[in-house]
Amino acid sequence: MATDSVDDAHSRPAGTSDATVAALGKLSEALEVVEEARGHLYAFHRRCGTADLTLGEAVDALRDAGHDELADRVETDLVGRNVLAGRWSFQVVEEYDDDYYDRFREHERAAREELMGGRRHVFEAEMKEDRRTAGRPGHAATPEDSARG
């Protein structure tokens, strides 16, 4: 029988209720969704920049093909255009990061500090402990336990 279990960094502090662990698990899950949304926002930023640079190449190609008037219209209206009122995509990313994202992370961190002594992913660690088969290859509680194999 294996004696490995959840490591101290992911174990529930003494006296912490199931409801508290579940609530902080939901808060952590919500932060993960915000992190994913942030990744999509950065992808949006990259795609917008690539689109604008490619559009510039299209304008050059239109000119090279003898379509100066059309190239001028596209360049004047679209090249370098804001993606939102007054903003390029980098400004959208900055505003998201500085307002919503930073604030969300701070609330999640403060809740963990207050209720879990700063421990992260306690809900998930307990789920892992419940679902794994102790002593089986590929089911170790920690990387150290896996190395002891």
Side-chain angles (χ1 to χ4, degrees):
M1 173 145 210
T3 58
D4 57 352
S5 64
V6 175
D7 61 347
D8 290 340
H10 297 100
S11 62
R12 170 192 303 229
T16 304
S17 70
D18 290 346
T20 298
V21 170
L24 287 176
K26 273 295 174 193
L27 185 57
S28 175
E29 182 181 353
L31 176 58
E32 290 170 5
V33 174
V34 166
E35 293 283 3
E36 184 179 13
R38 183 173 183 251
H40 288 297
L41 186 59
Y42 271 83
F44 168 77
H45 163 54
R46 301 269 319 209
R47 300 305 340 154
C48 288
T50 299
D52 191 65
L53 293 173
T54 304
L55 182 62
E57 293 171 4
V59 166
D60 291 344
L62 286 167
R63 280 203 177 89
D64 291 345
H67 306 288
D68 291 340
E69 186 179 314
L70 177 58
D72 288 345
R73 286 194 320 256
V74 172
E75 182 176 45
T76 301
D77 190 42
L78 286 179
V79 173
R81 186 179 181 94
N82 294 324
V83 298
L84 295 174
R87 292 178 187 87
W88 268 22
S89 61
F90 77 88
Q91 292 166 303
V92 175
V93 167
E94 288 177 354
E95 190 171 329
Y96 179 87
D97 277 353
D98 294 346
D99 184 35
Y100 186 75
Y101 176 72
D102 284 350
R103 187 175 300 222
F104 203 115
R105 287 188 65 212
E106 177 54 30
H107 279 288
E108 189 273 341
R109 186 202 59 75
R112 277 189 296 102
E113 287 294 328
E114 185 176 328
L115 301 174
M116 286 289 174
R119 293 177 176 108
R120 297 182 296 171
H121 297 109
V122 172
F123 181 84
E124 290 91 337
E126 290 183 2
M127 183 188 311
K128 176 182 178 178
E129 186 63 20
D130 183 55
R131 295 180 61 80
R132 72 186 187 87
T133 303
R136 295 273 306 164
H139 288 254
T142 66
E144 294 79 19
D145 292 331
S146 183
R148 283 186 229 130

